[in-house]
Amino acid sequence: MSSLTAFNQEDISEVGRDLYGFAAELYPICRSITGDGIRRTLSMISERTPLQIHEVPSGTKVFDWIVPKEWNIRDAYIVRPDGKRIAEFQKCNLHVLNYSTPIHKRMPLSELRPHLFTIPENPDWIPYRTSYYKEDWGFCLSHNEMLGLKDGEYEVRIDSTLKDGSLTYGECLIPGQSTDEVLISSHACHPSLANDNLSGLTVATELAKFLSGRDLRYSYRFVFIPGTIGAITWLARNGDAAKRVRHGLVLTGLGDSGHFHYKKSRQGDAEIDRAAAHVLAHFAKPSEILAFSPYGYDERQYCSPGFNLALGCLMRSVWGSFPEYHTSADNLEFIHPHQLADSFRLCAAIFNVLENNRTYRNLQPYCEPQLGRRNLYRPTGGESIGDEIHARLWVLNLSDGQHSLLDIAERSGLSFQTIHNAADLLMQSELLSLVPESDEQERTAKTKSSATAPR
Amino acid sequence: MSSLTAFNQEDISEVGRDLYGFAAELYPICRSITGDGIRRTLSMISERTPLQIHEVPSGTKVFDWIVPKEWNIRDAYIVRPDGKRIAEFQKCNLHVLNYSTPIHKRMPLSELRPHLFTIPENPDWIPYRTSYYKEDWGFCLSHNEMLGLKDGEYEVRIDSTLKDGSLTYGECLIPGQSTDEVLISSHACHPSLANDNLSGLTVATELAKFLSGRDLRYSYRFVFIPGTIGAITWLARNGDAAKRVRHGLVLTGLGDSGHFHYKKSRQGDAEIDRAAAHVLAHFAKPSEILAFSPYGYDERQYCSPGFNLALGCLMRSVWGSFPEYHTSADNLEFIHPHQLADSFRLCAAIFNVLENNRTYRNLQPYCEPQLGRRNLYRPTGGESIGDEIHARLWVLNLSDGQHSLLDIAERSGLSFQTIHNAADLLMQSELLSLVPESDEQERTAKTKSSATAPR
Amino acid sequence: MSSLTAFNQEDISEVGRDLYGFAAELYPICRSITGDGIRRTLSMISERTPLQIHEVPSGTKVFDWIVPKEWNIRDAYIVRPDGKRIAEFQKCNLHVLNYSTPIHKRMPLSELRPHLFTIPENPDWIPYRTSYYKEDWGFCLSHNEMLGLKDGEYEVRIDSTLKDGSLTYGECLIPGQSTDEVLISSHACHPSLANDNLSGLTVATELAKFLSGRDLRYSYRFVFIPGTIGAITWLARNGDAAKRVRHGLVLTGLGDSGHFHYKKSRQGDAEIDRAAAHVLAHFAKPSEILAFSPYGYDERQYCSPGFNLALGCLMRSVWGSFPEYHTSADNLEFIHPHQLADSFRLCAAIFNVLENNRTYRNLQPYCEPQLGRRNLYRPTGGESIGDEIHARLWVLNLSDGQHSLLDIAERSGLSFQTIHNAADLLMQSELLSLVPESDEQERTAKTKSSATAPR
């Protein structure tokens, strides 16, 4: 299998510039869960990695939900009594309550006020608010601007349409040797918000480009979807693909300066959970592992009890935990090229564990084989040994057909890469055989079934 | 099922006054493991909640034990050489070694001394001592009083009888929908000691009154027994009832100002253990969970290996850990109405968990159901959500027929009440079905049998 | 079974003097993995405890290894250009690279230099280095001495032989009631190094003497072998004995002043692991339990995946963690009689747990039996009880045929000895029966098989 961890500093700088540049291109677009904003976004992603674009008609039933009407918007603003235009959509698309129904009307401030959203704690920022499933209209503006509003007649205009159309999503399958899939999901419905989720979209796009054409163990499916309704729609239409998902990641919030967080799947001890925890522990200090909870991003859908997919969520700062979250301050200054690039590299390292986490059998299981005559040991007795030789001893000791390389990395405290290199070397020396994947899966299934259901 | 947690502050004050008043009425009685003291106590409890009173003849074999002779006492005192009466039973019934054989004799101090018990560390307090199973006589007095005793001839009088009679205990069964029982046990054999165990007796009595007439899932059996021999006698005569016990509590030491302690059952992970730990963690901070040990109160008998009942012990300060324990300082000033009332409320909250800890199945397990259109979600997207909505998401996510509401409360960190309310609401919205109790028990049994026996 | 813990201070002092004296006798011998040094060492051990001595011819295949040629040495030194002899084998046998091929040659310093080994961090000490499996020659000397070497012609002489002969090891079996074995292994191949491993050799010898002639549950096999190749040779020739090993210890580094360390077996939760941890926790504070790792002493071979024996390694300071390790400073001043004696006593205490760790069944499992009438309880009620009575209650409560005495000691926090004494007393009172060992093993096997394989 490919090694997915061989980057030099120059590669990474290049990747960072590319990720940031793409985020900057996507930033101005007014995305929503349906409509031309997301359609144009998917088309731009498609120029970098070929996407299959799906259009699902409004009114389609998807599990307990119905694909909503398509929303499009041309303009929106408020004219103050003194004639000044404020909350101009053309200046910042966050100004309009996303999915607002059209309106063009004069009204007193008292009638307008309930339709205005602000953030008193950060009085200069514009909040991001939506009203997808309750037909309504509204404006988001800075608290200071709202405080300055005087009584009088206001002109309110939202030039939007909400009518039958379709929900749009894109997907891209990078085939591997196995039809078992790794699912990477990013929501593509947020308007001008850089970290949430242009960072996820761009990193996912870059990963798809990176994996494409490689000799891979798993097939990798990237889905770019509107949040919630998009994941539900994808799952409703792709039951068979969902059954093939063995591992997965929701990618979001990967551009800010916070340290990494990985939120575990509902299963809690899935291979993806252990792979992500291992990579974070070795390559992203400090970092934090969060327990699963049924609130957050689209892992809510993938980890619903009927699916219970082995899919966690990788992010830097946790949604809702930083003041810029869902505000105009989550802009292009809030994300940085090298933070995006590190996120990309971390994802690749996690995939690298999944790709190479195989189980071996020591062909000389009775006592240690004589590593010295194979030049796999130190030459002079009495001296200490380094990680590389320790790794060989660990791999030989635990390769009884019951321990994967990740098991061995966890128990030894050595990095997966060091363990994997040792296994490669021992394979070359014909001291190991590879356990067929079918036997491995049987073992895993047996262990799982005897395990107590997680509480 | 009834909610057992709906009290306002006034209810609780009323309960506290009632509990304390009853403790004050019971305080003067000289109880022992047999005799008129415990008989009169049971009769007074019976006026508040109807008891079935059992009399078990002396000499009856109960497992490895034999019901002892019945002990009654009218008077006891010592007359000093100077003619002053001390250690007067009429002033404090702790003065007599409980179960003392009768004596009326003159003797020098040297002969009396080995029969005197004091507490040097608290020289003004009278200890509580017993000699149930070795025929003996003795007096308990303050250390200071003993130090003042001068040589000379003493008159010693204990006007007691120890002869064939019976052991008395009371019980009361509040029937519920199921014949499965919750057993609540309190020892009723201590003389004038308020916390140990008038607090337990009064709280148990109040709980029986409170549960009576309610629509209950379980049947609740309250037993008021002499310590050790009473529990043994009850178990020896009630093997069938013991088999029906699914949960239980020994109640003792519930009136002092210490924080709550729950000592786990021998099983260690029984539902009662988890319910008590949950309620203490949410409603009684600070509080402490203690591991099972085979020393303490009557859980020693209920948790003996032949029975191994799921029964823990709830108390405030732990026996033996406070200086007033088993002394005259454990008096009516040592307990307080609001502490008794809080103990009552805590027990009710534990019962509330047991009553409502059912398992549900999400009827829309594929993705989240659309809570918004059922008015179960926030109206505007982009804002944060509160505990109530979190609870709905948790219940939906984990209600796969494998997780009880207590499982969900524990995993989510939310209170059982919040989780239970969410389940009620989701049931009303027809998003959940209740797993039949028979299926639930089968699952629990399966999990238990595959679990390693506790060490 | 014998109690193996009854020593008084005088016994222990005597043992310490004996252990130290024997170490001093063995110290000057130049041992290696083959040859007359180890042969003479085994012969001296044999005078204290009868050994069976085995000679395995050079060239014999043992698993992946081949028994090497036999090495013997008479003399070695370097003559400096100024005529001064240095690195004299006669003064310290560490001076010669162990297993050096013979050489007698004049050479310039530049040719000699690559064959010299020193310790720059401790410039006055001589390192211990070996070259068993690569034919080479060399000298070990103090760094300061090496720094003083001037250019010029050096005479280099190693009067050794390396030719077909045999590998020598000794073993001694102390028979017990069962053919199940406890294996104690010590490496006997290090030259003048006191802690590593004369301490292990002498303690093992003393233990063999101590156990000999006693009424034992298990058979005890002591093996005195050259490190690595000796363990491999023993295992290759004793597959049947290896199958009978139920517990085992590698003994090494038991004479220094560091606190005790026990390195767990690969199994990690074997009875020997728990017995050693228990004894260390109760009798050797501070002390430390180390996870298994496939580097260290001969546990590397015993715990290779094909054998996976329940064998840990007991030591004081951990190899490689103290500067004296594998240097001339690991001399007779580095070890002390009372430290050797304490190590001996600790091993005996561990064996004592193994010998007596049986499972019992409470014959009065319904409620507590009445201990009072058997004089197994305190006489006066109301007073607290001590460890001895607590231990009786614990043994009765957990003796349901599912808990061994070690299980009970661990759960109660009491020492194994206290628990064992309680069980003895309760057996005498006919309150317990002993579970036949066959039933016990069945239960253990069942528990193990359902356990998840260690990661």
Side-chain angles (χ1 to χ4, degrees), chain B residues 169-243:
Chain B
Y169 68 84
E171 65 184 319
C172 152
L173 182 71
I174 319 283
Q177 289 175 11
S178 165
T179 55
D180 286 350
E181 294 189 8
V182 180
L183 178 67
I184 297 96
S185 175
S186 291
H187 59 277
C189 53
H190 284 30
S192 292
L193 295 168
N195 198 42
D196 181 10
N197 188 30
L198 295 180
S199 67
L201 289 181
T202 54
V203 168
T205 304
E206 192 80 19
L207 287 166
K209 262 171 63 185
F210 170 69
L211 293 176
S212 180
R214 287 181 184 259
D215 177 22
L216 298 165
R217 173 183 184 185
Y218 292 111
S219 298
Y220 287 74
R221 185 181 298 270
F222 290 82
V223 299
F224 300 90
I225 48 170
T228 306
I229 186 67
I232 294 167
T233 301
W234 185 84
L235 283 163
R237 294 160 51 97
N238 291 280
D240 284 347
K243 286 202 186 88

Side-chain angles (χ1 to χ4, degrees), chain B residues 244-294:
Chain B
R244 290 194 297 271
V245 172
R246 280 197 57 193
H247 320 284
L249 285 177
V250 168
L251 297 184
T252 183
L254 291 169
D256 69 279
S257 62
H259 64 251
F260 282 97
H261 291 80
Y262 174 77
K263 175 184 162 185
K264 293 198 282 185
S265 76
R266 182 181 184 271
Q267 298 179 22
D269 61 349
E271 193 172 333
I272 183 69
D273 298 325
R274 293 172 50 207
H278 179 85
V279 167
L280 261 63
H282 281 264
F283 302 111
K285 290 175 189 167
S287 59
E288 209 173 329
I289 304 298
L290 307 172
F292 175 77
S293 73

Side-chain angles (χ1 to χ4, degrees), chain C residues 13 33 43 61-62 77 123 206 245 250 292 299 306 315 376 379 386 430 449 455:
Chain C
S13 299
I33 54 171
S43 151
K61 193 162 164 46
V62 286
Y77 52 81
E206 193 79 19
V245 172
V250 168
F292 174 77
E299 67 276 11
M315 57 209 141
L376 296 175
E430 300 184 348
S449 75
R455 272 187 192 156

